[in-house]
Amino acid sequence: MSNTLWKFLDDTGTFVAKNPHRLSRLSFPLANEEGILSSISPTMHGDIKIDQYTFLTIPASTEDLHDSRYNRNFWIYIDGYSAWSAASGETDKSLVEAGMLWHKSIRVNKKIGLKAEFLNFVPVTNEPVELMTIELTNISDKTLKITPTAAVPIYGRSADRLRDHRHVSSLLNRIKLDRYGVIVTPTMSFDERGHKINSTSYFVLGYDSLGKPPIGSFPTLLEYSGEGGNLDKPESVLKNKKPRKDSEFSREGKEAIGALRFKTINLSPRKSVTYTILMGITKKERPERIFGRFDSREKVKAALTLNKKFWTEKINAIKLSTYDKDFDRWMRWVTLQPTLRKIFGCSFLPDFDYGRGGRGWRDLWQDLLTLLIINPKEARNNLVNNFGGVRTDGSNATIIGKNPGEFIPDRNNISRVWMDHGVWPFKTVNLYINQTGDTSILFEKVPYFESGRIDTVLNHILLEHKRPFTKIGRHGNFLLEGGDWNDGLDMAREKGESVAFTAGYAGNLTELTQLLEKINYKKEIAKELRRKADRVKKYIREKEWITVKSGHSFFNGYYDNNGKRVEGGHKNGVRMTLTGQVFPIMSGVATEEQAREAYRSAKRYLWDKNLRGFRLNTDFKETYPELGRAFSFAYGEKENGGFFSHMNVMFANALYKGGLAREGYEVLDSIYNMCMNTKLSKIYPGLPEYFNSDGRGMYHYLTGSASWFVLTVLTQVFGIRGDMGNLLIEPKLVKEQFEKSKIISIETYFAGRKIKINYINPHKLDYGKYTIKEISINGKPAAGMPIKRSLFLKLASKPSINTIDIPLIRLT
């Protein structure tokens, strides 16, 4: 493992990266929970928007981060030298220092004697604005005469207009020179399906160290760049031209830019000067009013302090203290990721250049796995609202809007059913009930999607599990339909079957039966569900367990559209999928020996010895139109044999759940090591959607694997989970985790109380070699397991931390 890119600076996860501008695809998210969605690179590329239809800057995908001329630029004209782009021009060295949703880029140009520090963040007070401060420092021994110009191109419209009526939509622009910068308010929102009068304004405003406004602006791209010039060679800067000064001046029908010229100053050696730029979008409030809340350095500093406090408290819901401080700090970023996906959806960071915003059905439920552990009360309302996306036939809406209970039938109006969608809601609700003991949620009344009917949450769940039994293939498994978790298996609608998620539904039915029995709900229904679950499990355990010539055995996960079994021996070599193993193990279909053998087979066929991780599938060595588009991708990319974090984490979860802690630890450790090997992964701290065959992390930040990683560490590795509202503690820690310390700890919340659990293992006993015989809470002995919820309710709440000490005693 070689982390050559960055290092942590503190326990909140703040990190510093050296010369990150040399990497082409790095970006970082900036956002608040209600307004602006931003991405930013070391060279200040990326974009700023609210949604698909409202971009301040031009939409940016990954390749634009290093190829585009559009960025948040800041030029300095130096008398006797010409000009320097402080954001993306020549630099001797650069640093990025970043923490919980703030980003600082430091760039040094020794030749001219300047250092520039860009600090960017989005206020957590939910103003629709990104704030940027630029501190220029003279690092030379002579006084520099400098003329600064901030330059942020204002795109100011829908992403759809990028290749559809780009020029025509610019004719709608009304560009106003404000005293502090440029405001663009198009007359209409251009859409041939129905144009609308526009009330949205886009603005770039700024001031200097003394709070004084720019001396003028260049409001259009042509005036700024000049005929024959461009954003990399702007004539207005290179020739130090005079800007427009009249605040009553306006332009119409042109491409706009917030090019703010500040007054020329003499900057003495070792002295600094600071400029502040506000970049925003407003639909309700005048830009000038928003500007007034950040119109001094003191106000911006206060906003940054509040920003750091807010996001740090957000991630403090789960905090580790193990022998590996880097892992503890890395987990802070993973803990943040479910919140990022709640904010961004799956479309608004550079890698995620698909869709039109919103999250998918599966994303909605899985992100809640972590959020409900952090704040069950808030999660309850979301859970209930989410069931409003279920139809009366047990299918569901596929896209979720930004508002609670807002659902969209299909992505891009393409009708498609993912057969796994019914699995996830119950898994999430069951976790909630076990964490809280609140079974009343099952009987909340919720409307069905696209129907006037109202029914209980429980009946919604039952319908979701009834539907697959009406869609059974000829081999006895549930039909694959438009795909399952693997979006790339999308071409086997008629005869394809998903053995993997047939197992997943069977596991759900078993757990649903157990829940109904605990609450004494209609025994005949519970009995019928158990009968169905047992029948399906027995079938898969016996009929879908296959052995190949090498002697290795594993589960077949799929049938293709010709009705042929996908996995097993083949003329192109053994075919195996990770998904096909995960769900039989997680659902309790696999016996313990089958689980062990499936893991051994995965090590044989899916483990990459060079990159040291598990691939999603073996190389089928051909396209496979009878199953899905995935096999037309290059092998090692995305759903065709990529190192998919989500399925790897669920593999670890399944192994831990089945008592195979050693194997589960190896899987989690492999994911972490691939992330930390930044020489190859080339990503900031956190978990990407997948790693490609180069070991590069792809589609960073917005991934359901983060929620599952946090859930697995908390409920399986540290063994802290609810049992009908009581606390069950069953750690599955291995001896390596006590390598440098006899005590490892985790802080989290339970029953509204902050708890810190210390596992004490002075003899470094391995899993299976220790037991728990005694527990103390705040120094007082506690009897029995699980620990009753009533005991926690008697403990001190905020701000105290209640300490639970657990010695791990040698098993005799």
Side-chain angles (χ1 to χ4, degrees):
M1 186 172 69
S2 178
N3 185 0
T4 57
L5 176 57
W6 51 262
K7 65 178 181 179
F8 285 118
L9 298 178
D10 60 35
D11 288 342
T12 68
T14 304
F15 65 91
V16 61
K18 186 177 181 181
N19 291 321
H21 70 284
R22 295 175 182 170
L23 297 181
S24 299
R25 304 172 66 94
L26 278 175
S27 68
F28 186 84
L30 299 173
N32 57 31
E33 293 191 296
E34 296 295 335
I36 289 292
L37 308 172
S38 294
S39 60
I40 190 167
S41 78
T43 52
M44 314 306 288
H45 288 80
D47 56 29
I48 304 170
K49 65 274 179 188
I50 288 178
D51 54 34
Q52 173 75 7
Y53 309 102
T54 320
F55 277 71
L56 169 68
T57 58
I58 195 165
S61 62
T62 305
E63 297 304 322
D64 297 318
L65 296 176
H66 59 96
D67 277 344
S68 175
R69 290 172 172 152
Y70 287 79
N71 68 340
R72 309 159 176 85
N73 218 330
F74 199 86
W75 285 86
I76 300 101
Y77 179 84
I78 305 100
D79 194 44
Y81 175 80
S82 188
W84 178 51
S85 165
S88 54
E90 180 184 351
T91 182
D92 296 290
K93 68 174 182 179
S94 73
L95 296 174
V96 161
E97 185 180 327
M100 291 298 153
L101 299 200
W102 58 269
H103 179 277
K104 181 187 287 185
S105 180
I106 304 171
R107 299 172 62 81
V108 174
N109 188 321
K110 294 179 181 178
K111 184 177 180 180
I112 62 174
L114 278 176
K115 179 179 76 170
E117 292 191 14
F118 293 80
L119 175 65
N120 294 64
F121 68 99
V122 175
V124 294
T125 42
N126 291 333
E127 284 87 359
V129 63
E130 179 186 315
L131 303 179
M132 176 169 72
T133 64
I134 306 98
E135 182 182 80
L136 300 177
T137 302
N138 184 348
I139 58 173
S140 74
D141 295 325
K142 60 183 180 180
T143 297
L144 298 176
K145 185 178 181 181
I146 62 173
T147 305
T149 305
V152 182
I154 299 175
Y155 174 71
R157 48 200 186 271
S158 168
D160 296 339
R161 303 286 77 78
L162 194 59
R163 288 287 299 165
D164 182 9
H165 294 92
R166 171 74 183 269
H167 171 254
V168 170
S169 57
S170 74
L171 302 180
L172 305 171
N173 283 348
R174 300 298 183 266
I175 306 167
K176 173 190 172 185
L177 263 69
D178 180 81
R179 184 183 177 209
Y180 287 91
V182 176
I183 300 172
V184 179
T185 308
T187 55
M188 271 190 172
S189 175
F190 186 97
D191 188 336
E192 289 186 308
R193 294 172 298 179
H195 307 303
K196 296 179 181 179
I197 296 298
N198 172 65
S199 60
T200 301
S201 293
Y202 306 85
F203 59 91
V204 176
L205 306 172
Y207 56 89
D208 65 16
S209 290
L210 301 176
K212 293 183 178 181
I215 62 171
S217 299
F218 302 93
T220 70
L221 281 178
L222 185 59
E223 288 171 279
Y224 172 70
S225 297
E227 197 70 53
N230 57 50
L231 293 172
D232 283 345
K233 297 178 180 179
E235 183 180 88
S236 63
V237 173
L238 298 180
K239 293 185 178 181
N240 200 18
K241 297 177 72 172
K242 291 182 179 181
R244 289 274 181 180
K245 296 182 179 181
D246 188 353
S247 62
E248 298 302 317
F249 175 84
S250 64
R251 283 287 198 193
E252 296 185 359
K254 305 293 183 183
E255 292 283 1
I257 183 171
L260 283 50
R261 169 65 56 78
F262 293 94
K263 74 174 184 178
T264 301
I265 63 169
N266 292 313
L267 189 61
S268 301
R270 308 294 179 260
K271 296 296 182 181
S272 300
V273 62
T274 302
Y275 299 89
T276 302
I277 307 297
L278 284 74
M279 301 162 285
I281 305 168
T282 179
K283 296 185 177 184
K284 299 177 181 178
E285 197 172 8
R286 292 175 62 236
E288 295 87 347
R289 288 180 60 86
I290 296 171
F291 177 79
R293 295 201 283 277
F294 304 102
D295 62 357
S296 71
R297 293 177 64 186
E298 291 71 24
K299 291 179 181 179
V300 172
K301 287 179 181 178
L304 179 61
T305 299
L306 188 62
N307 177 285
K308 292 181 177 181
K309 182 175 184 289
F310 177 87
W311 290 111
T312 299
E313 287 178 354
K314 201 84 164 174
I315 60 169
N316 275 346
I318 299 173
K319 185 179 179 182
L320 304 182
S321 180
T322 71
Y323 77 94
D324 186 346
K325 291 300 179 187
D326 277 353
F327 178 76
D328 301 343
R329 295 164 175 176
W330 177 81
M331 274 293 295
R332 310 282 267 171
W333 288 98
V334 178
T335 302
L336 177 68
Q337 286 182 239
T339 300
L340 289 178
R341 193 159 72 163
K342 180 183 178 184
I343 294 170
F344 280 89
C346 293
S347 301
F348 292 130
L349 286 178
D351 268 335
F352 299 81
D353 54 356
Y354 53 82
R356 308 176 68 80
R359 288 176 288 170
W361 181 257
R362 191 184 307 118
D363 311 328
L364 180 73
W365 297 95
Q366 294 188 92
D367 292 347
L368 275 171
L369 293 172
T370 294
L371 299 176
L372 68 83
I373 291 171
I374 295 171
N375 190 342
K377 288 184 179 179
E378 179 186 341
R380 188 187 198 278
N381 293 332
N382 290 331
L383 285 170
V384 174
N385 285 330
N386 292 351
F387 276 99
V390 178
R391 294 187 178 95
T392 54
D393 68 352
S395 66
N396 52 266
T398 60
I399 299 297
I400 287 75
K402 294 187 71 171
N403 301 317
E406 181 185 353
F407 302 99
I408 302 168
D410 307 293
R411 182 183 292 279
N412 295 336
N413 295 316
I414 301 171
S415 181
R416 183 175 172 187
V417 174
W418 282 264
M419 61 81 63
D420 68 303
H421 277 181
V423 167
W424 310 109
F426 174 69
K427 285 188 178 297
T428 310
V429 169
N430 196 36
L431 176 64
Y432 167 81
I433 291 173
N434 276 306
Q435 287 294 116
T436 64
D438 175 20
T439 58
S440 68
I441 192 174
L442 293 172
F443 305 101
E444 290 281 355
K445 295 293 184 69
V446 185
Y448 287 103
F449 182 54
E450 299 178 328
S451 168
R453 281 183 56 191
I454 296 177
D455 210 338
T456 63
V457 165
L458 176 57
N459 281 336
H460 283 65
I461 292 171
L462 290 172
L463 275 175
E464 288 180 300
H465 288 76
K466 179 181 178 180
R467 182 183 183 279
F469 285 93
T470 68
K471 306 285 182 179
I472 296 178
R474 76 184 192 196
H475 299 281
N477 304 289
F478 300 153
L479 290 174
L480 181 57
E481 300 186 83
D484 60 10
W485 170 90
N486 190 333
D487 284 353
L489 307 185
D490 58 350
M491 299 172 72
R493 293 172 184 261
E494 291 79 24
K495 297 180 182 179
E497 299 173 38
S498 175
V499 182
F501 277 92
T502 303
Y505 278 104
N508 271 14
L509 289 175
T510 298
E511 293 186 2
L512 180 56
T513 300
Q514 294 167 349
L515 175 59
L516 296 181
E517 289 172 344
K518 287 177 182 177
I519 64 174
N520 297 315
Y521 180 84
K522 296 183 181 179
K523 291 184 180 180
E524 66 276 9
I525 291 180
K527 185 177 180 180
E528 174 62 16
L529 295 178
R530 185 178 293 280
R531 185 185 67 80
K532 284 184 175 180
D534 290 346
R535 186 183 74 234
V536 172
K537 286 183 174 182
K538 183 175 185 294
Y539 173 82
I540 296 174
R541 191 180 296 129
E542 295 177 356
K543 301 297 184 181
E544 300 296 351
W545 182 252
I546 56 179
T547 301
V548 294
K549 287 183 179 180
S550 66
H552 288 83
S553 300
F554 50 88
F555 287 100
N556 169 55
Y558 295 95
Y559 287 87
D560 66 21
N561 213 34
N562 291 326
K564 293 182 179 179
R565 176 176 279 170
V566 170
E567 297 177 56
H570 189 272
K571 64 181 181 180
N572 291 342
V574 170
R575 291 181 168 179
M576 181 181 183
T577 70
L578 188 58
T579 313
Q581 317 318 309
V582 167
F583 288 94
I585 298 172
M586 183 183 287
S587 65
V589 167
T591 64
E592 182 177 339
E593 182 49 42
Q594 282 180 323
R596 290 188 185 279
E597 177 58 23
Y599 182 78
R600 286 193 288 266
S601 296
K603 287 284 283 193
R604 169 67 175 81
Y605 293 110
L606 300 177
W607 178 258
D608 187 291
K609 294 179 181 178
N610 295 320
L611 296 175
R612 304 194 62 76
F614 289 95
R615 292 184 180 273
L616 191 58
N617 54 270
T618 54
D619 187 356
F620 285 20
K621 295 184 172 65
E622 61 183 2
T623 59
Y624 201 164
E626 297 81 16
L627 186 55
R629 70 174 189 257
F631 303 96
S632 297
F633 297 155
Y635 184 67
E637 295 287 349
K638 279 190 80 73
E639 291 97 341
N640 187 18
F643 300 84
F644 234 90
S645 299
H646 199 169
M647 195 52 62
N648 268 269
V649 177
M650 288 194 286
F651 190 31
N653 184 281
L655 293 165
Y656 275 111
K657 193 175 179 182
L660 304 183
R662 164 66 50 194
E663 291 83 350
Y665 171 76
E666 288 177 358
V667 177
L668 286 188
D669 195 50
S670 72
I671 301 167
Y672 169 62
N673 286 333
M674 288 190 77
C675 290
M676 294 294 284
N677 185 7
T678 60
K679 185 175 182 180
L680 297 181
S681 68
K682 297 177 172 61
I683 56 173
Y684 292 142
L687 195 56
E689 180 185 272
Y690 77 98
F691 301 90
N692 65 17
S693 287
D694 299 322
R696 188 168 201 146
M698 305 293 290
Y699 295 74
H700 199 8
Y701 297 115
L702 310 181
T703 166
S705 57
S707 226
W708 273 90
F709 203 104
V710 173
L711 180 75
T712 301
V713 168
L714 180 66
T715 65
Q716 296 297 326
V717 180
F718 282 83
I720 302 163
R721 60 186 183 276
D723 179 12
M724 297 302 287
N726 303 313
L727 181 63
L728 190 63
I729 302 177
E730 292 181 340
K732 294 172 183 173
L733 298 159
V734 297
K735 62 183 180 181
E736 287 85 349
Q737 291 168 291
F738 293 93
E739 187 176 325
K740 297 180 181 178
S741 175
K742 67 178 183 180
I743 301 175
I744 64 174
S745 308
I746 184 169
E747 294 178 23
T748 187
Y749 283 90
F750 189 81
R753 304 299 189 267
K754 187 72 176 285
I755 59 175
K756 180 179 182 180
I757 298 180
N758 298 317
Y759 290 107
I760 305 164
N761 187 4
H763 302 296
K764 303 187 186 333
L765 301 173
D766 203 2
Y767 176 72
K769 304 294 184 181
Y770 56 76
T771 187
I772 297 174
K773 292 186 177 179
E774 57 186 53
I775 295 174
S776 68
I777 302 178
N778 295 333
K780 297 179 181 179
M785 190 69 70
I787 305 172
K788 297 296 182 182
R789 189 179 192 84
S790 57
L791 177 59
F792 284 97
L793 296 178
K794 296 176 183 177
L795 299 176
S797 57
K798 297 178 181 179
S800 300
I801 295 180
N802 299 282
T803 302
I804 303 177
D805 291 321
I806 304 178
L808 301 182
I809 307 301
R810 190 181 301 275
L811 194 61
T812 57

